[in-house]
């Protein structure tokens, strides 16, 4: 029954595609234009905390740590110089103190600890009446004496043995990679204002992890471009024509373009999970396209009629393409019941993109191929 029903639809689909060829191609062009417009709004970022439901234990424990320590995401600001003992000088300690004050004023920063705090503590320990700004040692010799008398091994958490490289420990509440990247960019802009003999950089496991995830995500997009080029070359060789290779590539590009447009439209971020959707959809869509164009070529040559070739090609592929797409969409849609947000987004976007690819194979591909004649490599 299913075979008869699906194959019975082939003539009606072919007739619709042939009669509305220009309309289908124009609608595809408009869809691509809107997709490009919305794709410009895509945000790249990975938010591990929001993967979990707001009432989950992970959210509760994270918020508790965030409140207790004024920020649960650690960031390190590294500042160094080529001058030994440079951070024993009052001027450089004042620079660090001003930088620390600026950092704490940022909305994403809950607190910061630096070598300046250590020096203030030593100074106030030996001279109890010292308070406020005067807690910073006023001379190089005073700093040197305080460190000689009171510095323990714990000072190495902030500075190296030659006192020319220091680490400022910052606690932040920026969880998502895009929010963290924005904070890091502002800190780096502030570090560029340091005196010329000082160099600053932002580091730490959280920063490196966020940057790595974003680079992997952007790398997926670049690898997708490379895959499209390779697929075009294979199609051109397979069908013995650069023109046909370009035409056969269009039905594969359209679902990918719409996918990126949907990301911008829905506000779903391009993250480590959703960046995989395009490559998955491309691999399946190109397989269906090769099936269609190969079947169309053989049928149109056999019948010496391109319009009848379209009908026969649709009749030949509609059943396997429909059932494989339905099975894949059902499998991906099963992820929408997951507790993890990135799995829900991945499953939903993959199912929608594969459905669009199926629709394109039954409409755009026949509309493109109805007036097409080509010779395959083996012919």
């Amino acid at each position: 029954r299913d075979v008869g029903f699906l194959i019975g639809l082939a003539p009606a689909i072919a007739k619709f595609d042939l009669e509305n060829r220009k309309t289908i191609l124009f609608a595809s062009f408009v869809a691509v234009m809107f997709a490009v417009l919305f794709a410009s709004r895509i945000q790249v970022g990975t938010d591990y905390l929001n993967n979990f439901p707001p009432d989950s234990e992970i959210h509760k424990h994270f918020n508790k740590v965030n409140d207790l320590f004024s920020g649960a995401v650690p960031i390190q600001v590294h500042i160094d110089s080529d001058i030994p003992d440079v951070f024993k000088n009052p001027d450089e300690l004042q620079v660090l103190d001003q930088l620390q004050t600026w950092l704490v004023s940022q909305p994403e920063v809950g607190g910061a600890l630096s070598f300046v705090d250590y020096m203030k503590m030593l100074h106030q320990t030996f001279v109890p009446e010292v308070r406020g700004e005067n807690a910073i040692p006023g001379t190089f010799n005073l700093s040197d004496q305080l460190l000689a008398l009171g510095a323990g091994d714990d000072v190495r958490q902030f500075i190296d043995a030659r006192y020319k490289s220091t680490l400022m420990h910052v606690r932040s509440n920026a969880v998502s990679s895009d929010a963290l990247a924005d904070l890091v960019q502002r800190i780096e802009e502030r570090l560029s204002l340091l005196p010329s003999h000082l160099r600053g950089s932002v580091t730490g496991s959280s920063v490196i992890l966020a940057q790595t995830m974003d680079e992997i995500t952007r790398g997926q997009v670049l690898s997708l471009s490379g895959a499209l080029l390779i697929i075009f070359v294979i199609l051109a060789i397979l069908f013995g024509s650069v023109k046909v290779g370009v035409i056969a590539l269009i039905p594969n590009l359209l679902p990918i373009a719409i996918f990126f447009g949907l990301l911008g439209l829905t506000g779903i971020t391009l993250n480590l999970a959703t960046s995989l959707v395009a490559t998955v959809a491309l691999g399946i869509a190109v397989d269906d396209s090769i099936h269609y164009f190969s079947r169309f070529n053989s049928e149109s040559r056999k019948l010496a009629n391109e319009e009848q070739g379209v009908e026969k090609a649709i009749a030949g592929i509609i059943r396997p393409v429909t059932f494989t797409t339905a099975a894949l969409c059902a499998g991906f849609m099963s992820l929408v019941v997951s507790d993890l947000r990135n799995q829900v987004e991945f499953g939903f976007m993959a199912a929608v993109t594969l459905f669009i690819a199926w629709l394109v194979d039954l409409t755009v591909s026949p509309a493109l191929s109805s007036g097409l004649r080509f010779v395959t490599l083996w012919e």
Side-chain angles (χ1 to χ4, degrees), residues 101-123:
T101 302
W102 179 86
L103 283 169
V104 175
S105 69
Q106 302 306 299
E108 302 94 338
V109 176
L113 282 174
S114 71
F115 180 61
V116 177
D117 296 308
Y118 195 89
M119 292 303 299
K120 288 180 178 179
M121 180 197 68
L122 285 179
H123 198 187

Side-chain angles (χ1 to χ4, degrees), residues 17-28:
D17 293 340
L18 294 172
E19 290 179 351
N20 300 277
R21 180 175 182 270
K22 292 183 178 180
T23 302
I24 291 173
L25 296 179
F26 178 74
S28 301

Side-chain angles (χ1 to χ4, degrees), residues 229-246 248 374-379:
L229 178 61
I230 295 172
I231 289 171
F232 161 71
V233 173
I234 293 174
L235 290 173
I237 295 174
L238 177 64
F239 296 121
S241 169
V242 173
K243 176 183 176 182
V244 177
V246 173
F374 57 91
V375 178
T376 59
L377 183 61
W378 51 84
E379 289 170 329

Side-chain angles (χ1 to χ4, degrees), residues 92-230:
E92 276 66 31
L93 291 175
Q94 290 288 350
V95 169
L96 291 181
D97 191 48
Q98 292 169 6
L99 174 61
Q100 183 173 344
T101 302
W102 179 86
L103 283 169
V104 175
S105 69
Q106 302 306 299
E108 302 94 338
V109 176
L113 282 174
S114 71
F115 180 61
V116 177
D117 296 308
Y118 195 89
M119 292 303 299
K120 288 180 178 179
M121 180 197 68
L122 285 179
H123 198 187
Q124 290 174 339
T125 300
F126 286 98
V127 188
E129 62 270 18
V130 171
R131 290 291 182 272
E133 296 180 357
N134 296 326
I136 296 178
T139 65
F140 177 93
N141 290 335
L142 178 58
S143 297
D144 192 43
Q145 291 173 5
L146 291 173
L147 289 168
L149 292 172
D153 293 337
D154 52 349
V155 73
R156 299 296 168 236
Q157 298 178 23
F158 302 99
I159 202 158
D160 70 329
R162 301 183 66 186
Y163 294 92
K164 68 173 188 175
S165 180
T166 184
L167 203 62
M168 192 173 292
H169 302 274
V170 180
R171 299 185 303 278
S172 169
N173 56 25
V175 181
S176 64
S177 60
D178 53 339
L180 194 58
D182 180 64
L183 175 61
V184 170
Q185 182 179 358
R186 275 183 280 134
I187 295 176
E188 289 178 342
E189 290 174 354
R190 176 62 177 79
L191 292 176
S192 66
L193 303 178
L194 292 174
S196 58
H197 63 283
L198 298 179
R199 299 180 297 268
S201 62
V202 186
T203 185
S205 58
S206 301
V207 175
I208 294 173
L209 181 61
Q211 292 174 345
T212 301
M213 294 299 100
D214 285 351
E215 287 300 321
I216 291 175
T217 301
R218 293 186 177 93
Q220 291 285 350
V221 178
L222 294 176
S223 64
L224 180 64
S225 303
L228 287 170
L229 178 61
I230 295 172

Side-chain angles (χ1 to χ4, degrees), residues 272-295:
L272 197 58
T274 55
S275 64
L276 297 174
V277 172
T279 54
V280 171
L282 178 62
I284 296 170
V286 72
D287 183 59
D288 293 342
S289 295
I290 291 176
H291 278 297
Y292 171 79
F293 280 98
S294 298
R295 192 63 176 262

